């Protein structure tokens, strides 16, 4: 809906590429956590290596798949590239003996749920009535949470002004 409101019909084609790209950003956020450790440990060559490997995979898949499936597939190859980069940086940090720096199960949970939500969103594009019901439920929950924690929210807003 935001894409339609802000871009109109001329950007309708971008609708199918947005969920995988948003999910790719989740992978990017998580792999950055591992990159920070690699940089702190002065192992930036591992960061460069994982970047080159994932870029080669991304470009190669784009070269092979875009002529067959169109530009939309580039969002999926980007997502796959970020998945590879996240995995390689995780393996790199783990190989340094740092197995428990982060709650990896939590990270995997975030990434799996983001990926599932991505594909759910793609399916919901074709089922508008369910999509609108979910939006209404989400907005109602948002207002409920804001109302329940209104004192805390107001306290934070007052601190922002000072």
């Amino acid at each position: 809906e935001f894409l339609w409101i802000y871009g109109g019909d001329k950007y309708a084609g971008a609708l199918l590429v947005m969920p995988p790209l948003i999910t790719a950003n989740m992978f990017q956020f998580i792999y950055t956590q591992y990159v920070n450790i690699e940089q702190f440990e002065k192992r930036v060559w591992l960061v460069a290596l994982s970047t080159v490997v994932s870029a080669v995979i991304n470009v190669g898949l784009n070269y092979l798949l875009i002529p067959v499936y169109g530009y939309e597939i580039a969002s999926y190859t980007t997502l796959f590239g970020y998945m590879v980069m996240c995995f390689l940086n995780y393996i790199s940090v783990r190989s340094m003996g740092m197995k428990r720096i982060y709650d990896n199960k939590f990270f995997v949970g975030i990434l799996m749920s983001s990926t599932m939500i991505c594909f759910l969103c793609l399916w919901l594009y074709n089922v508008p009535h369910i999509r609108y019901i979910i939006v209404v439920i989400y907005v109602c929950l948002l207002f409920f949470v804001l109302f329940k924690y209104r004192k805390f929210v107001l306290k934070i807003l007052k601190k922002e002004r000072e």
Side-chain angles (χ1 to χ4, degrees), residues 122-145:
L122 289 170
W123 176 74
L124 284 174
Y125 288 149
N126 299 320
V127 192
H129 56 282
I130 294 176
R131 187 172 73 233
Y132 293 133
I133 290 170
I134 290 172
V135 168
V136 168
I137 291 170
Y138 178 78
V139 169
C140 289
L141 284 172
L142 180 66
F143 281 125
F144 172 75
V145 169

Side-chain angles (χ1 to χ4, degrees), residues 96-154:
M96 288 185 239
M98 300 181 193
K99 296 179 182 177
R100 305 215 172 165
I101 296 292
Y102 297 116
D103 185 354
N104 294 315
K105 289 180 183 178
F106 178 71
F107 282 175
V108 169
I110 288 173
L111 295 174
M112 287 179 65
S113 61
S114 297
T115 305
M116 289 189 303
I117 289 170
C118 165
F119 291 106
L120 177 66
C121 287
L122 289 170
W123 176 74
L124 284 174
Y125 288 149
N126 299 320
V127 192
H129 56 282
I130 294 176
R131 187 172 73 233
Y132 293 133
I133 290 170
I134 290 172
V135 168
V136 168
I137 291 170
Y138 178 78
V139 169
C140 289
L141 284 172
L142 180 66
F143 281 125
F144 172 75
V145 169
L146 286 174
F147 181 75
K148 183 175 180 178
Y149 296 103
R150 66 187 176 275
K151 290 180 183 177
F152 179 70
V153 171
L154 290 172

